[in-house]
Amino acid sequence: MKKQFQLRSRKEVHWTRQWLLGQIQGGRLSLRYQLIELLDTAEQVQQLVDQQLDSESRTRLQKALSARRAREAALPTRKGAPSTRIVRTEVTALAREMLHTVAASRGVTTSELITKLLEDEYGRVAR
């Protein structure tokens, strides 16, 4: 009995389409590009997987999808993090590289590093 293949989001539908196109391009699947390009919903992808893929291809797809989910789950989330936004600051390329290198070596974000380095000075100036 086949294990039910299920996509959880619109991003996974897009990623699965890309995976299928890559498999066709690599010669591991013998489907038509046009068939993959027409896939738009999780139900359509589900139907294609059930009808067109053999068990080996289904297993490869499921493993690739599971690995992708695990990588995404390992990414840090922004929930609970302080609010951040991208701002433009003019610095030299060397200063930018130094900032990123020191922040990475300390395991903090560039914002945290800047705040830590400037908080004493700011406290004196702001008074």
Side-chain angles (χ1 to χ4, degrees):
M1 181 176 180
K2 291 182 186 176
K3 181 180 176 185
Q4 185 68 16
F5 177 81
Q6 186 173 5
L7 298 174
R8 300 177 185 165
S9 68
R10 188 92 178 111
K11 282 172 49 177
E12 286 189 358
V13 171
H14 174 74
W15 182 86
T16 302
R17 284 180 58 206
Q18 296 304 106
W19 185 88
L20 289 166
L21 289 170
Q23 296 297 304
I24 293 169
Q25 196 171 27
R28 292 177 291 279
L29 283 178
S30 58
L31 299 173
R32 294 188 329 233
Y33 281 109
Q34 295 84 1
L35 182 63
I36 305 303
E37 293 293 333
L38 295 175
L39 297 176
D40 194 41
T41 65
E43 292 78 25
Q44 291 171 337
V45 173
Q46 176 71 46
Q47 188 176 10
L48 176 104
V49 168
D50 289 342
Q51 295 175 357
Q52 301 289 329
L53 297 186
D54 60 1
S55 65
E56 180 184 324
S57 298
R58 285 174 55 89
T59 301
R60 281 197 325 265
L61 173 57
Q62 189 62 54
K63 283 184 178 181
L65 190 56
S66 294
R68 184 179 198 296
R69 288 173 180 162
R71 281 192 305 272
E72 283 189 353
L75 292 175
T77 62
R78 292 184 59 152
K79 291 182 180 178
S83 175
T84 61
R85 64 183 179 138
I86 296 175
V87 295
R88 282 185 63 127
T89 304
E90 292 185 23
V91 296
T92 64
L94 177 61
R96 183 177 184 273
E97 183 62 33
M98 289 169 58
L99 178 64
H100 288 292
T101 302
V102 172
S105 72
R106 293 185 183 181
V108 296
T109 65
T110 54
S111 294
E112 292 168 335
L113 178 62
I114 292 169
T115 302
K116 185 175 184 205
L117 293 173
L118 295 177
E119 64 189 352
D120 292 335
E121 183 73 21
Y122 180 76
R124 280 182 268 158
V125 173
R127 289 182 195 166

